[in-house]
């Protein structure tokens, strides 16, 4: 069947050609032998032979063979069966089918199964060589192609991983930005507005509303808005029993609402597009709802928006809880300090209401000078506490009716330092604490406890010093009767530039001149005192 040609006809092996490993399967031994011998002579190809399909499968291992020659007609598993199995094991293996009974059907069948070529028996060895070279070349191209495809896939995979990574970094950054911004917000009012502004920015929504749940009155109250008129703040936006917001408040899960579902909400929040409605929870308890609408890119809200919204709201809820705890602690502390002052004044009938009057006079003077709100708030709080250190002064000294001995005077001079140390453990600002420590310093440096002079003495303490002196002069003391208002004014003028800051004395006297009587000043101050009460209790 095989026409064996003279070896002299063979071209020398291409030095670039590598030695191939070839599987040769034929049930006719002489064909196996002749072909095997021939193939071995080309480039020292290694030939592994098998007499049938089963044997061939036993010898075959994927990636160990570069090519296979199969006889189509064999007892047991035929060539097509073997071809199918080999292709299953190694997709890129070139398979040459040899047959002595060519038919179109058989040809189509084998090609379908992935055969690379046909050899029709009888064939010349030259044909075998040419076929081998061609299929191996094709196989190399195929493998190269597969490799390139693999590389491409790998590249695409890396690109998509990079994109995913970029997305995550962006997320991380957004989350970090939200966290940082929220950490900067110190008061609950600021926080609600912060939620609205941050949600508008990160969810790319034109309008955001923050509502609080009022379960007592069964309603939702607008507490902050972005992209809407501030006039709606404080208004009711529906009940807890109706609408999407009510459902979100009751069930604690986010929802997408459609305009037309809740007419009250639609009209107040100007809802024209679908809106995202998310609960604000502290420990699983819903206390607010955020409504965001009108995406700036016109797209619907995505799962990313939902995630960012949820993060923003849970982070804000933590901050709200902390602020609420802090605010109630501060309120507790302030009321403790105020009652300490009350206890101290109760001991001494002469100084009763002294702290309140000094506070009023100091605040009015500070306003006259034009100090800012933060300074006035500090003054309002700390002027009231200026003598709190007297709680540490012995009653026999504090309440003594006669003249104080030097020792007793030195003891009483301790009260600014004692006062400062009482408030040290408490949450007072440096400015507030310095009022308590320095309210007995003198402009000429002859005061106590530090002997500070001029502008070295904090301005707020210089103000309290004048107000304190004026009130002391105009009140009865155990050792002397009160001076009249004009006498006290005269005394301040005399001491201006010596004991007191002249500018503070000027502002103080200007303020005083606006009131005919101390009662009038008291009434005005009492009205302002309400502000103090609202601030600290
Ligand atoms: Fe004092």
């Amino acid at each position: 069947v095989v026409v064996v040609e003279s070896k002299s006809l063979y071209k020398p092996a291409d030095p670039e050609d590598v030695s191939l490993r070839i599987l040769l399967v034929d049930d006719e031994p002489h064909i196996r032998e002749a072909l095997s011998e021939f193939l071995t002579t080309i480039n020292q190809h290694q030939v592994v032979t098998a007499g049938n399909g089963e044997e061939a499968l036993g010898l075959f291992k994927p990636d160990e063979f570069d090519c296979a020659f199969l006889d189509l007609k064999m007892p047991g598993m035929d060539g097509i069966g073997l071809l199918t199995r080999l292709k299953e094991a190694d997709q890129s293996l070139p398979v040459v089918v040899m047959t002595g009974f060519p038919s179109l059907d058989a040809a189509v069948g084998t090609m379908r199964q992935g055969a690379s070529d046909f050899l029709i028996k009888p064939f010349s060895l030259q044909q075998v060589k040419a076929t081998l070279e061609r299929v191996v070349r094709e196989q190399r191209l195929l493998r190269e192609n597969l490799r390139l495809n693999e590389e491409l896939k790998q590249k695409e995979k890396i690109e998509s991983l990079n994109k995913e990574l970029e997305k995550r970094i962006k997320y991380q950054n957004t989350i970090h930005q939200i966290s940082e911004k929220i950490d900067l917000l110190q008061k609950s009012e600021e926080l609600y507005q912060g939620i609205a502004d941050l949600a508008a920015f990160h969810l790319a929504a034109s309008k955001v509303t923050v509502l609080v749940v009022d379960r007592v009155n069964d309603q939702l109250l607008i507490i902050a808005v972005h992209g809407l008129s501030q006039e709606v703040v404080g208004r009711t936006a529906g009940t807890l029993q109706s609408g999407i917001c009510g459902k979100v408040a009751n069930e604690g899960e986010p929802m997408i609402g459609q305009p037309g579902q809740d007419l009250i909400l639609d009209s107040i929040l100007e809802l024209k597009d679908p809106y995202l409605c998310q609960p604000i929870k502290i420990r699983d308890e819903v206390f607010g709802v955020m409504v965001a609408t009108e995406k700036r890119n016109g797209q619907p809200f995505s799962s990313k928006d939902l995630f960012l919204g949820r993060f923003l709201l849970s982070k804000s809820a933590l901050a709200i809880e902390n602020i609420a705890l802090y605010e109630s602690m501060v309120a507790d502390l302030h009321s403790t300090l105020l009652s300490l002052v009350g206890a101290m004044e109760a001991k001494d009938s002469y100084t009763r209401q002294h702290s309140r009057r000094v506070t009023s006079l100091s605040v009015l003077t500070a306003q006259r000078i034009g100090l800012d709100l933060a300074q006035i708030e500090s003054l309002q709080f700390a002027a009231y506490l200026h003598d709190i250190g007297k709680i540490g002064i012995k009653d026999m000294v504090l309440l003594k009716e006669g003249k104080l001995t030097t020792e007793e005077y030195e003891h009483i001079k301790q009260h600014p330092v004692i006062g400062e140390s009482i408030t040290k453990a408490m949450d007072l600002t440096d400015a507030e604490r310095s009022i308590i420590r320095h309210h007995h310093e003198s402009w000429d440096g002859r005061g106590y406890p530090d002997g500070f002079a001029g502008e070295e003495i904090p301005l707020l303490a210089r103000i309290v010093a004048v107000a304190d002196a004026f009130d002391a002069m105009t009140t009865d003391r155990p050792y002397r009767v009160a001076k009249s208002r004009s006498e006290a004014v005269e005394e301040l003028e005399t001491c201006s530039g010596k004991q007191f800051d002249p500018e503070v004395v000027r502002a103080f006297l200007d303020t005083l001149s606006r009131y005919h009587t101390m009662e009038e000043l008291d009434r005005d101050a009492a009205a302002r005192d309400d502000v103090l009460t609202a601030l600290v209790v």
Side-chain angles (χ1 to χ4, degrees):
V1 181
V2 178
V3 182
V4 182
E5 293 166 30
S6 153
K7 282 190 185 172
S8 62
L9 287 176
Y10 303 151
K11 284 183 183 163
D14 183 345
E16 280 183 20
D17 272 357
V18 283
S19 165
L20 302 172
R21 205 166 146 81
I22 301 166
L23 177 67
L24 171 63
V25 192
D26 201 303
D27 55 329
E28 290 178 58
H30 68 276
I31 293 187
R32 284 205 303 275
E33 276 162 32
L35 257 183
S36 175
E37 193 193 330
F38 171 68
L39 288 168
T40 311
T41 57
I42 316 172
N43 247 6
Q44 280 87 44
H45 293 328
Q46 296 174 50
V47 183
V48 174
T49 57
N52 57 55
E54 286 79 7
E55 192 190 342
L57 284 177
L59 293 165
F60 183 77
K61 279 190 189 117
D63 299 327
E64 281 193 5
F65 288 89
D66 302 295
C67 176
F69 285 82
L70 316 180
D71 185 19
L72 192 61
K73 214 165 160 54
M74 292 185 291
M77 184 187 295
D78 66 0
I80 290 194
L82 180 59
L83 168 67
T84 312
R85 299 284 301 274
L86 291 178
K87 280 286 179 185
E88 278 169 9
D90 183 354
Q91 183 75 41
S92 64
L93 179 79
V95 180
V96 179
V97 173
M98 308 174 290
T99 177
F101 309 95
S103 75
L104 193 60
D105 281 355
V108 171
T110 47
M111 292 312 273
R112 261 198 198 134
Q113 293 306 316
S116 302
D117 212 338
F118 269 101
L119 277 173
I120 312 292
K121 293 175 184 173
F123 44 74
S124 72
L125 289 177
Q126 206 52 29
Q127 273 176 301
V128 172
K129 186 169 183 275
T131 303
L132 179 65
E133 278 169 1
R134 193 161 45 72
V135 297
V136 167
R137 203 166 45 242
E138 278 172 9
Q139 187 232 23
R140 280 190 188 143
L141 283 173
L142 182 70
R143 285 207 168 143
E144 182 65 8
N145 216 358
L146 282 175
R147 192 182 61 75
L148 288 174
N149 265 338
E150 199 53 41
E151 264 179 19
L152 201 68
K153 269 190 206 155
Q154 210 54 28
K155 219 171 142 187
E156 279 169 1
K157 207 172 159 189
I158 288 169
E159 268 171 17
S160 105
L161 277 174
N162 270 338
K163 271 187 191 153
E164 185 62 23
L165 198 67
E166 258 173 42
K167 230 165 93 183
R168 284 187 190 202
I169 289 171
K170 226 170 142 187
Y171 256 45
Q172 255 351 83
N173 277 342
T174 307
I175 283 171
H176 183 71
Q177 276 175 20
I178 292 175
S179 291
E180 265 196 333
K181 290 254 166 69
I182 291 175
D183 288 342
L184 286 175
L185 304 173
Q186 300 289 327
K187 293 182 180 164
S188 26
E189 323 75 270
E190 283 177 356
L191 241 156
Y192 291 115
Q193 190 56 50
I195 294 174
D197 297 340
L198 284 170
F201 181 76
H202 291 289
L203 272 56
S206 302
K207 291 173 185 162
V208 178
T209 309
V210 181
L211 305 121
V212 285
V213 174
D214 172 6
R215 294 199 191 273
V216 178
N217 300 305
D218 179 35
Q219 58 183 4
L220 285 151
L221 285 171
I222 300 173
I223 194 162
V225 291
H226 177 104
L228 285 163
S229 160
Q230 289 291 332
E231 280 172 20
V232 300
V233 174
R235 283 179 66 184
T236 306
T239 71
L240 298 177
Q241 307 310 316
S242 63
I244 300 292
C245 284
K247 210 170 156 63
V248 170
N250 286 325
E251 294 174 7
E253 291 300 329
M255 288 180 80
I256 298 283
Q258 300 292 337
Q261 283 178 320
D262 186 335
L263 295 178
I264 302 173
L265 204 67
D266 285 6
S267 75
I268 300 177
L269 306 191
E270 300 172 19
L271 301 171
K272 289 171 290 185
D273 286 355
Y275 51 93
L276 173 65
C277 206
Q278 280 189 290
I280 311 172
K281 300 186 213 175
I282 288 181
R283 299 169 207 273
D284 282 341
E285 184 77 25
V286 180
F287 72 93
V289 174
M290 182 195 75
V291 180
T293 190
E294 287 181 34
K295 285 277 284 181
R296 280 193 289 275
N297 58 8
Q299 297 286 310
F301 285 99
S302 64
S303 55
K304 181 187 148 203
D305 295 325
L306 212 69
F307 169 81
L308 285 178
R310 193 163 50 223
F311 175 78
L312 164 66
L313 296 180
S314 60
K315 175 83 192 166
S316 309
L318 267 178
I320 288 169
E321 196 183 10
N322 284 340
I323 287 175
L325 276 173
Y326 175 76
E327 283 174 352
S328 85
M329 257 172 54
V330 168
D332 273 0
L333 169 70
H334 286 196
S335 65
T336 306
L337 287 175
L338 297 188
S339 53
L340 265 177
V341 173
M344 181 197 69
E345 289 188 340
K347 291 202 295 185
D348 180 1
S349 57
Y350 290 97
T351 62
R352 209 158 288 162
Q353 299 296 314
H354 168 69
S355 305
R356 191 183 58 72
R357 284 193 305 268
V358 169
T359 306
S360 307
L361 290 164
S362 301
V363 168
L364 291 170
T365 308
Q367 284 170 334
R368 180 81 192 163
I369 294 172
L371 299 192
D372 64 30
L373 192 64
Q375 286 173 299
I376 288 177
E377 275 181 3
S378 288
L379 198 56
Q380 208 153 18
F381 180 53
Y384 197 80
L385 304 174
H386 75 280
D387 270 345
I388 199 167
K390 283 191 178 166
I391 208 110
I393 303 300
K394 292 178 192 135
D395 282 4
M396 53 170 289
V397 177
L398 196 65
L399 307 175
K400 187 173 176 186
E401 300 214 345
K403 207 172 179 307
L404 296 174
T405 64
T406 313
E407 239 175 46
E408 286 164 342
Y409 186 52
E410 284 306 315
H411 179 49
I412 224 163
K413 274 164 75 181
Q414 297 286 307
H415 81 273
V417 177
I418 297 171
E420 191 202 20
S421 71
I422 288 175
T423 54
K424 206 159 239 170
M426 300 170 177
D427 191 41
L428 266 69
T429 63
D430 289 347
E432 288 163 354
R433 213 170 283 124
S434 73
I435 293 173
I436 298 169
R437 185 176 178 97
H438 298 297
H439 75 277
H440 281 294
E441 302 287 359
S442 181
W443 184 252
D444 56 15
R446 294 164 67 174
Y448 60 89
D450 297 308
F452 281 2
E455 292 189 352
E456 203 181 356
I457 310 162
L459 175 58
L460 299 181
R462 280 182 259 151
I463 294 173
V464 172
V466 174
D468 189 21
F470 179 82
D471 190 68
M473 285 192 278
T474 52
T475 322
D476 283 331
R477 290 286 151 129
Y479 42 90
R480 58 151 177 75
V481 288
K483 281 187 182 3
S484 71
R485 177 173 155 155
S486 58
E487 282 169 336
V489 168
E490 214 174 290
E491 181 75 22
L492 285 184
E493 278 167 343
T494 309
C495 296
S496 173
K498 294 173 193 154
Q499 187 179 346
F500 307 116
D501 176 349
E503 228 172 281
V504 172
V505 171
R506 201 171 309 127
F508 180 86
L509 295 177
D510 268 0
T511 305
L512 200 65
S513 67
R514 280 160 46 213
Y515 302 94
H516 294 296
T517 60
M518 281 310 285
E519 287 71 33
E520 206 180 300
L521 186 145
D522 259 354
R523 265 199 308 277
D524 192 17
R528 289 164 200 252
D529 212 30
D530 288 342
V531 181
L532 166 74
T533 313
L535 273 169
V536 299
V537 179

